[in-house]
Structure formats: structure tokens, C-alpha cells
Amino acid sequence: MSIVALLLWGVAALLGTAMLAIAISRRDSATQLVYGLILGITAVMFLAVSSHLVSDPAGVSVVTLPLGLPWIGAHFRLDALSAFFLVVVNLGGAFASLYGLGYGRHESAPHRVLPFFPAFLAGMNLVVLADDAFTFLLSWEFMSLASWALVMAHHREPNNTRAGYIYLVMASFGTLALLLAFGLLAGPAGTYTFDAMRAAEPTLFVAAAVLALMLLGAGSKAGLVPLHVWLPLAHPAAPSHVSALMSGVMTKVAIYGFIRVIFDLLGEPAWWSGVVVLFLGGLTAVLGILHALMEKDLKRLLAYSTIENIGVIFASLGLALAFKANAMPSAAALALTAALFHVLNHSFFKSLLFFGAGAVLTATGERNMEKLGGLIHRMPLTSFVFLVGCVSISALPPFNGFVSEWLAFQAILQSPDLPQWGLKVMVPAVGGLLALSAALAAACFVKAFGITFLGRPRSAAMEQVREVDHYSLAAMFALAALCLLAGILPGFVIDGISPVTLSLIGSRMPVQMAQPWLSIVPIAESRSSYNGLLVLVFITISASLAAVVIHRFASHALRRGPAWGCGFPDITPAAQYTAVSFAQPIRRVFGTFAFRAREKVEMPPPGATGPARLTVEMHDVIWETFYQPIAGAVGYATEKLNRLQFLTIRRYLTLVFLYLVTLLLVLALWP
């Protein structure tokens, strides 16, 4: 049996699990059985793909089934690119299923989640395996509909219905853009197989149109600005383990679609395509993290931070396009490796953070950070792994987020060799935006961890919370370990990614496992290198020595005094930093142009006893500029067209007659 056939059997098993879940989802044992089956299936698929990637990295396996369009069938293919993304999909699915074994016990409507969860995973696997346009689009739409059903699982909660509606509209828009892109690639002959598209040579106009359509189609699913509006609504609305899949995995399937078309099917890129993708990536990174900093809802904060990381990935892909167009294969391989490494890293730490947010929500019933605080004393294990996720996503060594972003900056440093002045200007500018977004990300997750877990409880209910179940903790600790391992042993990951860069770029980074002391060397050791293992050893030794010196030589006398309460005599949690007050300095610097932020202070007159009030007004500029006018126009048009429901039969027949005459005139005048 070929590896593709085995994976298709795995997809069939996931769909069978979905059918089983429909039948038993209202039973008490359904949660354990369904998530246990999904965990086993995704683990087997992950091991199968990993072994293929290790044993035969350059191998290509194909299967054609008598399904889909009658004249071409359904084509499926496993190569290095699809194998890498299948690792991301199934590893993320396995961890989400393990987490669901515990988290699912608290689910209020399991019959709305259990049938669609395995279907969602099956859809993502099929998208990555598809080798023709019809199968790809069918799988893409199936993935979108399954995830929409999961977003709508808690449809009775405020704003969830609106989130599901906007997600469905954006998903339909993205599918339409992908359909048009594949139509242009297929050409007049209608060659819908990917092999035929690879063999074709599109014109410059077709290449530009396909790039624009893929940015619209795949970019809307990934969360690229300004197509991101659904993401901060839908991700928080879904159950937390589904949010982890949508943010950590589904957005990566969208990136897979972009890479498959632009790097594989479209042929050699033009240099200006790198400029477009670079610009959108840098803009997405900065706006995404600025929005995250303004949030006080923990899950919305994580959703906006996903947009920032998508921007980092697209910026790296833009660099790879620019270098590839200018025949700089080594630099292109470095940039593409940085993008793919960050794809894997983001799936690790974003899943971990959403699991942590789900644990907080389960224990406290709250997502609003303003009502949390002090959880480190009640949930020490969750707070520890959440801290690991915060450090990883903040790109601090020795964890994995640092390595992929460091590789991206190493690729940016190769930009002086680019011949076009547009790229010479754009690449350093985007590098500055990425550096700014990295600094803002660190501030954002200091806020997320500090406001949620540190300080004093902001309500009496926070003092009664308990640690979550062992399944949830096991999933979070496993992901935390992977964040550390990928940070201290990145050479294994880079060498694992090399078959992908070889197939798409024709080059790869130097063999990292051949470097002494497990260092990584992007270009040459004389230029730059990094050793995560030595950094970990240095941090461990220096921290241990500092602790020993303090305990050995510091005074053993203790002094206790009341905490400073900002001048108030009674210690109160209200004197602590809140999420809004923490972000105030950054809001005052960037909020004027990013959010049109305005602060209004109302001071009581002299002698009055009423309190002063500070009101902050903020706007979602992109929503109000692009989407609100469209929504208003659609609403106005539907209101006017609503009159068509109340016509008489004679008027309906008259309309049909007029449409028929118009159609005949068009056909008669058509050249």
C-alpha cells in the first residue's frame, strides 16, 4: 500500500468517526471515545508522514480515484511540501484531541462539536493531499464548512452568530477567489490537474492575476490584512481546542495553498511579486500585534496575535520570491526555511496558548483579563506552561520562536545583493516593521501573562479556582517541551525542511547536523551562527549561580510591610494594572493613526464629590473603511429588492419575459 493510500484510509477513518459521533454524541461516553479515536488516527497519520519524510524525502507518491470530475478523477499526491504540512496538521490534531479528552467533559453542547471535529481534520488533510483543482476546492470548502459549524457550536452566546456569519461570508469570498485563480491556471483547455498547470507557461498578466487572487483567497483564510476581520471574531467563538486548530493549523493550510500555487504551479516569479507579498506581510505583522495589545479578552488577544505571526510568515515568503526571481537560490532557501520553520513554531506555541486560555476559561468561566489575576497560586502548572508559550511567541531564546524569526532577519540581511531599488528599499523597511512587531509582541505577552496570572485576584471567585484535568495538562506540557526542543535543537528541523526548499527553490541551507556543537549556520559560519543549546546552558548556569550567591551571601533577615497601594490606605486589587492601563502608553503612541483613538477626561467641578472619568474611544479603521460601507450597500440593496417578494403573478411573468428578451438580445449581439 502506498503512503498516499494509507493517508486516504486515515481520512476515511476520520470521516467514519464523524458519522459515529453523530450517532452517539449525546451519550456520556461519547467524548472519550470520539477524541480517543481521533487521537489514534492522527497519531498514526503523523508517524506515517514523518517516516516518509525521513526515509524518502524527495519521493513523490500519487493516487487517482474514480471520483470528482468524470474526465479527470480525483488526484492525490504526497511530496515534500505536502508531507511537511501534513505533519503540522496531524500533530496539531493529535494534541487538540488529547486536550479534548479533558476539556470536552466541560463542553455544554458536545453533540454540536464531536461530529464536526474529525470532519474538520479530514478536510484539512484532503486539502494538503489534493493534486487537482476540483479536489482542492471541494476539500477547501468542506474544511471551511466544518470549521464554521464548530464556530457556531455555542450559537446562543452573544456575538457568536455574527462571528459565524462573517466567517462564512469571508470563506465564500476566498473560495471564489481560489476558483478564479485555478480557472486562469487551467486556461482555455480546462486542464485542472496540477501536473498540467505546472507544464503550462502563464503570461505576465495571468501570473499577476493569479498572485492577486491567491492573496485574496488564501490570504483571507490565513488572516492577511485587510482580509483578517473574521479571525478575531471566529477564533474566540469556537471551543478552545477548536480555536487552537483554527489558529495553529487551519491558517497554515491556507499558507500551504499559497505556497503550492505561487511557488510550485505558477512557475518562475517576477521580482515585483516579492514586493507585494513583503508589504502585506509587514503591514499584517504590525497591525495584528497592535490590535492584540489593545485587547482585554484573552482569546481575542491570541487571535490577533495569530495575524501578527501570519504577517511574519508572508514577509518571509515575499523575501523568498524576491530572491528566487533574482537567481539567488541560497538566500531564497534561507527565507523559505524561515517561513516554514515559523509555520511549525506557530502551530506549537499558539496551540499551547489557546489550550492555556481554555484552561483558564474552564477554571474561572472568564476570558476578560480585567476580572482575572492571581491565578499563578491556584493554577501553578497552567501558569508555567502558559509562560513557556508567552516566551516562545515573544521570540526570546532559547525557545523556538526566536530561531525562526532570527532566520528571517538573516534573510533580510541578504537584501543588499538584490538588484532592484524597489526591493533594496522595501526589504529594510519591512525588516524594521518586523523588529517593531517583535518588540510589541513581547510587551503584549508580558501583559497577557501578568494581568491573567500575577498580582491579586480581582474577584472573590478567582480565589476558589482549581487546576485543570491531567489530559489538558499533558497536552500543554508536551507542546511546551516541543517549543523548547525546537529552540535548542533547530538543526534537526532545518534539515527536515530542506527537501521542501530543494523541491521549490532548487537549493537548501547548509547541512546543519554537520556543524559542531549543534550550532545552526544560515549562510556561512563567518557571517553568523546560533547555538540554542549553549544559550540554554548559559542561562541555566548563570541563573543557578545567581541563586546560590543570593542564598549564600544575602541577609537572612526578613522585613515585611504593606504593598504600595498608590496612596490609598487599604490594599485593593483595583490598584493593580489592568489590561487597558498596561497598553495605554502604546495606545497613545500608535493609536491615533492605527485606531483613531481619542481620550476624553471628565473632571468634576471644584467642591463636587463625584469621580473623574476617563473615556477611551477606539475604531476599527479597516472594518469601517472597507467592510462597513459594503455591508450598508448590501443591506440597502436587499431592502429595496425585498419588494420582489410581493409582486403579483402577472408582474412575475412580465419580469421573466423581459429577462428572456434581454438574454436573446445579448446572444444575438454577441460577436
Side-chain angles (χ1 to χ4, degrees):
M1 181 185 295
S2 69
I3 181 67
V4 177
L6 176 62
L7 293 171
L8 290 176
W9 277 111
V11 171
L14 288 171
L15 294 175
T17 304
M19 299 300 293
L20 175 65
I22 294 174
I24 68 169
S25 59
R26 294 184 184 273
R27 298 181 184 178
D28 293 338
S29 60
T31 295
Q32 300 294 307
L33 178 59
V34 171
Y35 285 123
L37 284 172
I38 300 170
L39 174 59
I41 295 167
T42 51
V44 169
M45 295 176 72
F46 164 70
L47 292 174
V49 175
S50 300
S51 62
H52 171 80
L53 202 55
V54 171
S55 61
D56 188 17
V60 176
S61 179
V62 296
V63 166
T64 303
L65 299 179
L67 303 170
L69 295 177
W71 60 92
I72 64 171
H75 295 73
F76 300 94
R77 168 189 170 109
L78 182 71
D79 56 13
L81 177 62
S82 55
F84 171 78
F85 278 90
L86 284 173
V87 166
V88 175
V89 169
N90 290 293
L91 190 58
F95 282 122
S97 304
L98 176 60
Y99 184 85
L101 286 170
Y103 181 83
R105 297 173 183 172
H106 310 283
E107 178 58 53
S108 59
H111 59 283
R112 295 184 179 276
V113 177
L114 294 178
F116 299 104
F117 189 83
F120 182 33
L121 284 167
M124 289 191 288
N125 275 282
L126 285 173
V127 170
V128 179
L129 285 170
D131 196 35
D132 66 78
F134 181 81
T135 305
F136 184 97
L137 290 171
L138 187 66
S139 304
W140 183 279
E141 195 68 3
F142 182 76
M143 172 187 74
S144 299
L145 290 174
S147 57
W148 170 80
L150 290 167
V151 169
M152 294 295 293
H154 301 154
H155 64 285
R156 297 187 186 279
E157 294 184 9
N159 298 323
N160 280 15
T161 303
R162 177 173 177 264
Y165 172 73
I166 292 176
Y167 175 45
L168 192 61
V169 170
M170 293 300 295
S172 302
F173 169 76
T175 304
L176 175 62
L178 291 176
L179 176 63
L180 295 174
F182 283 123
L184 288 173
L185 287 171
T191 50
Y192 292 105
T193 62
F194 285 175
D195 282 337
M197 293 179 185
R198 289 186 189 94
E201 295 183 2
T203 63
L204 183 63
F205 172 78
V206 169
V210 169
L211 175 65
L213 290 168
M214 287 306 300
L215 286 171
L216 292 174
S220 64
K221 183 70 72 179
L224 198 64
V225 170
L227 305 167
H228 67 286
V229 291
W230 66 271
L231 195 146
L233 299 174
H235 287 199
S240 295
H241 60 315
V242 176
S243 301
L245 272 185
M246 293 180 70
S247 183
V249 178
M250 186 184 71
T251 55
K252 310 309 176 302
V253 175
I255 290 170
Y256 163 80
F258 181 82
I259 295 175
R260 172 64 74 190
V261 172
I262 301 302
F263 284 82
D264 184 19
L265 305 183
L266 198 56
E268 289 299 316
W271 70 268
W272 47 261
S273 63
V275 174
V276 175
V277 179
L278 262 171
F279 171 75
L280 290 175
L283 181 67
T284 299
V286 172
L287 287 181
I289 200 61
L290 280 174
H291 276 282
L293 267 163
M294 300 303 114
E295 280 297 329
K296 57 184 179 181
D297 183 310
L298 184 56
K299 288 184 73 174
R300 279 178 62 89
L301 180 149
L302 296 178
Y304 272 120
S305 115
T306 293
I307 297 171
E308 182 252 340
N309 284 275
I310 292 299
V312 173
I313 294 168
F314 268 92
S316 299
L317 292 176
L319 276 172
L321 284 172
F323 289 132
K324 184 181 180 183
N326 285 287
M328 299 171 61
S330 297
L334 171 59
L336 184 59
T337 300
L340 295 176
F341 203 156
H342 205 69
V343 163
L344 184 66
N345 287 341
H346 185 253
S347 72
F348 289 163
F349 53 64
K350 188 48 63 68
S351 297
L352 170 58
L353 289 169
F354 266 113
F355 289 168
V360 171
L361 180 60
T362 299
T364 66
E366 283 289 346
R367 290 176 3 199
N368 187 349
M369 291 184 287
E370 310 277 63
K371 298 180 181 180
L372 299 172
L375 295 182
I376 192 171
H377 303 293
R378 300 292 178 180
M379 305 175 68
L381 299 177
T382 298
S383 64
F384 173 75
V385 291
F386 196 89
L387 177 61
V388 171
C390 291
V391 174
S392 300
I393 200 171
S394 300
L396 298 176
F399 290 93
N400 57 346
F402 173 81
V403 180
S404 52
E405 294 203 22
W406 180 77
L407 289 175
F409 282 109
Q410 294 301 314
I412 288 172
L413 293 177
Q414 309 304 313
S415 63
D417 296 331
L418 291 167
Q420 295 87 7
W421 277 102
L423 286 170
K424 286 179 180 291
V425 173
M426 179 61 69
V427 174
V430 171
L433 291 177
L434 294 185
L436 175 61
S437 69
L440 293 174
C444 178
F445 284 94
V446 167
K447 162 187 158 177
F449 183 80
I451 303 300
T452 303
F453 291 97
L454 302 182
R456 296 173 180 268
R458 291 177 172 82
S459 66
M462 296 303 110
E463 299 179 359
Q464 309 301 322
V465 301
R466 294 184 300 173
E467 191 61 87
V468 291
D469 60 274
H470 296 301
Y471 290 115
S472 300
L473 288 173
M476 290 189 286
F477 269 94
L479 284 169
L482 287 177
C483 288
L484 179 61
L485 287 174
I488 63 176
L489 301 173
F492 291 98
V493 180
I494 293 172
D495 287 345
I497 293 172
S498 61
V500 184
T501 61
L502 276 171
S503 64
L504 298 177
I505 303 295
S507 182
R508 55 163 293 170
M509 285 178 59
V511 179
Q512 302 301 309
M513 298 314 299
Q515 303 298 327
W517 299 95
L518 296 177
S519 296
I520 58 170
V521 178
I523 301 295
E525 194 170 1
S526 58
R527 292 193 178 189
S528 60
S529 62
Y530 170 73
N531 192 303
L533 189 59
L534 290 181
V535 170
L536 175 64
V537 171
F538 172 77
I539 292 174
T540 303
I541 292 176
S542 58
S544 301
L545 285 176
V548 169
V549 169
I550 290 172
H551 283 85
R552 176 68 180 84
F553 297 105
S555 171
H556 294 283
L558 294 178
R559 291 188 301 167
R560 294 187 180 274
W564 168 245
C566 300
F568 291 92
D570 298 325
I571 298 176
T572 171
Q576 301 179 119
Y577 265 112
T578 64
V580 174
S581 63
F582 186 95
Q584 184 190 54
I586 296 173
R587 185 181 69 239
R588 287 181 170 175
V589 173
F590 298 101
T592 303
F593 75 91
F595 313 107
R596 293 208 297 267
R598 297 290 185 271
E599 294 184 1
K600 182 180 179 182
V601 179
E602 298 177 7
M603 296 294 295
T609 58
R613 295 187 180 278
L614 172 65
T615 305
V616 179
E617 178 185 341
M618 297 179 63
H619 299 270
D620 189 333
V621 177
I622 291 176
W623 175 265
E624 294 178 0
T625 303
F626 295 101
Y627 296 96
Q628 196 164 294
I630 295 174
V634 170
Y636 177 80
T638 53
E639 182 180 350
K640 295 299 181 183
L641 292 173
N642 191 43
R643 298 177 182 177
L644 294 176
Q645 296 185 70
F646 308 104
L647 298 180
T648 63
I649 186 64
R650 287 180 297 175
R651 290 184 177 180
Y652 278 127
L653 291 174
T654 303
L655 282 176
V656 172
F657 176 74
L658 291 175
Y659 289 148
L660 180 61
V661 171
T662 303
L663 180 61
L664 291 173
L665 285 173
V666 170
L667 292 175
L669 297 174
W670 193 266

